[in-house]
Amino acid sequence: MSATIAESRRESDDIEQRVETLLEQMTLVEKIGQMSQLNASDGHAPDYLGDALRAGKVGSVLNVADVEIINELQRIAVEESRLGIPLIVGRDVIHGFRTIMPIPLGQAASFNPDIVRDGARVAALEAATAGINWTFAPMIDISRDARWGRIAESLGEDPYLTGVLGAAMVQGFQGDDLTAAGTIAACAKHFAGYGASEAGRDYSVTNIPENELRNVYLEPFKAAVDVGVTTFMTSFSDLDGVPATGNEFLLRQVLRDEWGFDGFVVSDWDSVRQLQVHGLTENDRESAHMAVTAGVDMEMAGDAYVSHLESLVEDGRVSVDTIDTRVANILRIKFKLGLFENPYTDPSRLPPLASDEALETARKAALQSVVMLKNDGDVLPLSKDRVSSLAVIGPLADAPYEQLGTWIFDGEPELSVTPLAAIRDQLGDKVSIRFVRAMETSRSKVSPAFDEAVDAARESDVAVLFLGEESILSGEAHSRADIDLPGDQAELVRRVKATGTTVVAVILAGRPLTLSNIVDHVDAILFAWHPGTMGGPAIADLLSGVESPSGKLPATFPRMVGQVPIYYNHKNTGKPPIPETTVLIDDIPVGARQTSVGNTAYHLDAGYKPLFPFGYGLSYAKYRYDNIRVSADEIGLGDTITISADLSNDGEVAADEVVQLYIRDPVANVTRPVRELKGFQRVRVEPGQTVTVDFKVHTDDLAFYGRDAQLITEPGEFHVWIGGSSETELRTGFRIAE
Ligand code: NOJ
């Protein structure tokens, strides 16, 4: 046994011993207290929580980020309660604390675990200065529905990408040493299936068959467990009739028995009591019974546990063993975090907020998250020789708060560098820049300001329109049924385009949008999500060509909202669409005879393709992929195969490309997706250079859950593609021998 493994065994034996010793001293009331997390948001928490803390009736608080208040709460818990158990202090630090990174969906577009890990590291260091030692992130719900407001917080539609990036985020928050100053506990949420909320309506039901649940929705959570995530949060949603907070299958069978998770599970906000609202229990007492039995260790913001667990134990309906198991899970993490040794925070031991380094991390993240969707005639980058005047137009060009996105409790718009400021800074000395906001908000209607925008465009070489959604239009409880650009933005685009001036759209948004009504009226599109504090400089670098766009879509962009849910890794169906069978509505002759023969799966008015597929994103470099090959035509179970392709840059600038590997298992014991992402690499290619990109795939990487809920890799044929998006046609294959 290596020294480090031996050491960590010793450490964990030691922790188990400490947990046991502490449990033996605790009264039932104190145990239940550890299972309770209370809201401490209004600035007077020590006053109104003081007595409960002294009585050992609070295990955790959330929604407080003032270091003095947190230190005082800790002091009461540690010095004035009988057993002196420190609090674990939770906060939604989702994509930054003071320095705001791009929204998670934007970070996912970087396809770069280092970007995600570094962003989380900065967030942890900053949050720790306030005394926060637990964040409610990463959110790793697979989402295939851009209407859902919380897609902004997610890492997109793909289980593998979400798994890799979610694990990197956990590592960024938790670091290598949980006891170190500046590392905080992470939380894998929302377990499980929340992203499938019906019709993209937040909090709606989800209906996910077990096979789909295991093959798609659970994969990223398993990846989080594998890198040692310390906590889980249950989902608000109802999964197949049993809301996640009362779902024993999820919380005990899968999480504990199958995956061996030894951290703790917190409910979502008041979701224990909501079991009654769902219609599963008669009252709070029964809700507490159901949640604690199912495996929820800590109740967030409700009082079902503190009000009812004691009597449930006295009545013999909940055993002391069950309570002890739940409390041990919580104490274990408190010990692992070193809270008993270091309950207090001294901010001077940590780097200052929004340091140059943190801002540079945010700039780099924003840079790699922007996806170029269109660049007709190579109008981008804006060459200084061709462009001497620029019209900067739109509601999001200079909107410091809006560029930060959802969940930015501790962010400060004053720190934001807006695109307008950065463009002026970078180009202002050589290019004349005229700014017309044109719309007060992204939702504004046509107004005389449109004429001013049109004039500015007419008198400029290029018009750059900053469009999209304000930050409040995505995030929790902010779903939309129409995902076009809001307000009269499309009309603004049409009017500006009518001037004949080159039009570049830069779109800041919290979700994929349907862009069909503007895509033909602009020459280029940069999709920048909500890019965070340093969005402006990143966008200016891309517009001016200091850097090349390199982001790729982590979620499919539909043509129209009626196509949703639309995602690349769908099943084939028995009637897959092909161009020959796709007759669109305007092509159907009047009075055409009806037939059920030869029809396939598509919409008459949208076809079957999205506007932009998963994995898509353009560059200023000119890439060519060829020579896909495998290291063996046939391998055995347990072997590893190498799949390679050559990538050449025929363009004139060096740039990063995200090379993607997709696989299909065409015949299996359950139907499998037409393609699945199984690897990706971000590589830099110089002009004129050809690089070989190798992917190593072990047969375990091809495993899936079959009919009997067992994970299997089946022998047989596999198709393989490598390329720059999920629609790549560069294909080869191999077999796994019987
Ligand atoms: C409800 C949200 O669903 C969850 O993601 C968040 O962490 C909690 N509220 C705490 O704010």
Side-chain angles (χ1 to χ4, degrees):
M1 213 189 310
S2 79
T4 43
I5 296 178
E7 259 166 42
S8 73
R9 287 248 172 97
R10 248 196 319 276
E11 234 166 67
S12 85
D13 288 350
D14 188 38
I15 285 180
E16 289 315 305
Q17 188 54 56
R18 292 175 77 183
V19 168
E20 218 172 284
T21 310
L22 187 51
L23 265 176
E24 278 164 11
Q25 302 168 53
M26 292 171 78
T27 64
L28 182 58
V29 169
E30 285 164 338
K31 289 175 185 173
I32 294 166
Q34 286 302 306
M35 301 169 73
S36 167
Q37 182 185 51
L38 297 182
N39 185 21
S41 63
D42 74 354
H44 302 284
D47 301 338
Y48 63 82
L49 291 182
D51 288 346
L53 287 164
R54 283 178 200 100
K57 289 185 174 170
V58 188
S60 173
V61 291
L62 80 165
N63 282 345
V64 49
D66 178 312
V67 69
E68 280 173 22
I69 296 180
I70 291 177
N71 275 339
E72 175 59 8
L73 294 170
Q74 287 288 28
R75 195 196 60 75
I76 301 173
V78 170
E79 292 176 22
E80 297 184 16
S81 76
R82 194 176 72 90
L83 294 170
I85 304 175
L87 294 163
I88 179 165
V89 181
R91 179 81 164 162
D92 289 286
V93 181
I94 307 298
H95 55 112
F97 181 77
R98 184 62 43 77
T99 308
I100 303 296
M101 307 294 149
I103 53 170
L105 190 61
Q107 291 182 46
S110 74
F111 277 64
N112 187 347
D114 294 338
I115 287 284
V116 175
R117 194 179 295 109
D118 293 349
R121 183 82 213 102
V122 166
L125 281 165
E126 292 192 346
T129 62
I132 291 156
N133 40 44
W134 178 22
T135 178
F136 305 128
M139 193 272 224
I140 45 179
D141 294 311
I142 296 302
S143 178
R144 296 166 160 178
D145 194 330
R147 294 171 297 184
W148 191 45
R150 300 200 79 168
I151 195 172
E153 287 173 61
S154 83
L155 296 164
E157 75 185 29
D158 184 66
Y160 176 76
L161 180 66
T162 300
V164 171
L165 300 183
M169 203 182 277
V170 169
Q171 290 167 331
F173 287 126
Q174 297 195 168
D176 300 329
D177 175 7
L178 273 172
T179 64
T183 56
I184 63 178
C187 181
K189 74 183 189 186
H190 305 84
F191 198 56
Y194 190 20
S197 284
E198 210 170 65
R201 266 192 318 276
D202 207 6
Y203 316 129
S204 193
V205 298
T206 65
N207 286 301
I208 311 173
E210 184 179 337
N211 186 264
E212 186 82 344
L213 184 74
R214 287 183 178 276
N215 280 318
V216 177
Y217 292 87
L218 296 187
E219 181 181 325
F221 288 95
K222 174 67 167 59
V225 171
D226 289 345
V227 294
V229 72
T230 41
T231 73
F232 262 59
M233 187 188 294
T234 62
S235 168
F236 282 129
S237 47
D238 174 348
L239 181 68
D240 199 15
V242 185
T245 304
N247 197 312
E248 196 166 327
F249 161 73
L250 280 176
L251 301 178
R252 291 182 68 175
Q253 181 180 323
V254 174
L255 185 59
R256 302 284 180 186
D257 300 346
E258 294 180 21
W259 297 350
F261 176 65
D262 73 350
F264 73 86
V265 176
V266 65
S267 76
D268 203 340
W269 186 277
D270 207 23
S271 69
V272 174
R273 290 184 341 114
Q274 286 166 15
L275 291 173
Q276 183 200 352
V277 187
H278 276 286
L280 208 68
T281 60
E282 269 183 16
N283 50 42
D284 290 354
R285 182 177 153 87
E286 292 309 310
S287 298
H289 177 257
M290 181 167 291
V292 82
T293 310
V296 175
D297 301 305
M298 182 183 281
E299 181 184 15
M300 180 192 289
D303 61 3
Y305 275 15
V306 282
S307 306
H308 301 291
L309 284 185
E310 199 180 345
S311 75
L312 283 164
V313 172
E314 279 158 8
D315 293 354
R317 297 205 41 222
V318 172
S319 69
V320 172
D321 266 4
T322 298
I323 299 289
D324 283 355
T325 308
R326 305 272 161 275
V327 178
N329 291 336
I330 296 165
L331 295 177
R332 184 176 303 120
I333 299 307
K334 289 188 173 184
F335 280 116
K336 282 192 179 176
L337 284 167
L339 289 175
F340 287 83
E341 289 74 26
N342 291 307
Y344 303 118
T345 300
D346 173 1
S348 69
R349 288 181 57 212
L350 291 158
L353 299 179
S355 65
D356 288 350
E357 208 183 327
L359 293 173
E360 175 53 18
T361 304
R363 190 194 66 86
K364 207 167 149 205
L367 191 72
Q368 294 197 9
S369 73
V370 176
V371 184
M372 185 159 72
L373 297 176
K374 178 174 181 179
N375 191 20
D376 276 8
D378 290 336
V379 295
L380 288 178
L382 303 174
S383 121
K384 284 176 194 155
D385 322 326
R386 275 186 299 166
V387 180
S388 62
S389 54
L390 208 58
V392 174
I393 297 169
L396 296 171
D398 195 31
Y401 174 72
E402 308 305 343
Q403 73 185 50
L404 298 181
T406 184
W407 286 121
I408 45 119
F409 288 161
D410 305 288
E412 279 178 1
E414 300 73 38
L415 284 173
S416 292
V417 184
T418 68
L420 178 66
I423 290 170
R424 281 195 170 130
D425 187 44
Q426 256 198 40
L427 301 175
D429 56 338
K430 297 181 192 78
V431 177
S432 90
I433 294 163
R434 191 162 150 199
F435 171 53
V436 183
R437 188 177 178 112
M439 300 171 75
E440 198 38 46
T441 76
S442 70
R443 291 168 283 164
S444 302
K445 301 290 179 200
V446 174
S447 76
F450 277 40
D451 298 333
E452 208 191 314
V454 166
D455 288 346
R458 190 177 294 116
E459 288 154 19
S460 304
D461 295 331
V462 176
V464 185
L465 269 63
F466 285 87
L467 308 170
E469 294 176 313
E470 302 145 69
S471 59
I472 195 66
L473 298 185
S474 57
E476 185 177 351
H478 287 81
S479 297
R480 296 178 61 203
D482 170 0
I483 52 171
D484 280 357
L485 287 167
D488 280 339
Q489 294 184 67
E491 179 59 18
L492 178 66
V493 172
R494 275 191 290 274
R495 291 197 192 179
V496 169
K497 182 64 186 164
T499 62
T501 297
T502 299
V503 179
V504 174
V506 181
I507 300 178
L508 282 69
R511 55 163 64 75
L513 296 172
T514 38
L515 300 173
S516 301
N517 59 355
I518 65 144
V519 70
D520 295 333
H521 305 297
V522 296
D523 299 282
I525 304 177
L526 291 178
F527 205 89
W529 319 97
H530 287 133
T533 306
M534 294 299 280
I539 290 168
D541 278 352
L542 294 170
L543 288 171
S544 64
V546 172
E547 303 272 359
S548 171
S550 59
K552 299 281 186 175
L553 294 181
T556 302
F557 274 44
R559 282 174 195 282
M560 53 178 90
V561 72
Q563 288 180 297
V564 171
I566 181 168
Y567 46 96
Y568 85 96
N569 48 355
H570 57 83
K571 302 288 185 72
N572 202 35
T573 81
K575 287 170 171 278
I578 49 170
E580 298 77 66
T581 59
T582 307
V583 181
L584 293 181
I585 200 158
D586 292 336
D587 302 327
I588 302 174
V590 175
R593 288 175 63 83
Q594 296 190 18
T595 171
S596 66
V597 180
N599 299 329
T600 60
Y602 71 95
H603 289 109
L604 286 180
D605 43 6
Y608 62 91
K609 294 226 175 204
L611 190 59
F612 299 109
F614 175 87
Y616 174 83
L618 303 173
S619 167
Y620 296 152
K622 299 271 173 279
Y623 295 118
R624 181 166 42 87
Y625 283 89
D626 38 36
N627 200 15
I628 187 168
R629 54 205 186 270
V630 284
S631 57
D633 293 331
E634 187 168 283
I635 57 171
L637 275 174
D639 290 348
T640 296
I641 190 167
T642 304
I643 305 156
S644 314
D646 297 337
L647 169 64
S648 308
N649 179 355
D650 298 336
E652 282 161 18
V653 295
D656 283 5
E657 165 73 338
V658 176
V659 182
Q660 301 155 47
L661 171 77
Y662 294 90
I663 288 198
R664 178 173 186 187
D665 183 350
V667 182
N669 116 352
V670 292
T671 55
R672 304 290 297 131
V674 294
R675 286 184 187 194
E676 286 181 287
L677 185 72
K678 287 288 175 188
F680 56 86
Q681 288 176 41
R682 184 175 257 273
V683 292
R684 185 143 192 103
V685 200
E686 300 295 324
Q689 191 191 10
T690 297
V691 295
T692 295
V693 182
D694 297 324
F695 290 98
K696 293 206 181 311
V697 177
H698 186 273
T699 55
D700 285 354
D701 301 331
L702 304 171
F704 61 93
Y705 286 91
R707 282 185 214 190
D708 50 5
Q710 294 305 308
L711 194 60
I712 37 162
T713 305
E714 287 185 343
E717 189 188 356
F718 288 84
H719 301 167
V720 188
W721 295 260
I722 288 179
S725 93
S726 61
E727 286 190 353
T728 171
E729 293 302 332
L730 191 67
R731 175 179 148 183
T732 183
F734 65 92
R735 292 186 62 79
I736 296 181
E738 295 285 337

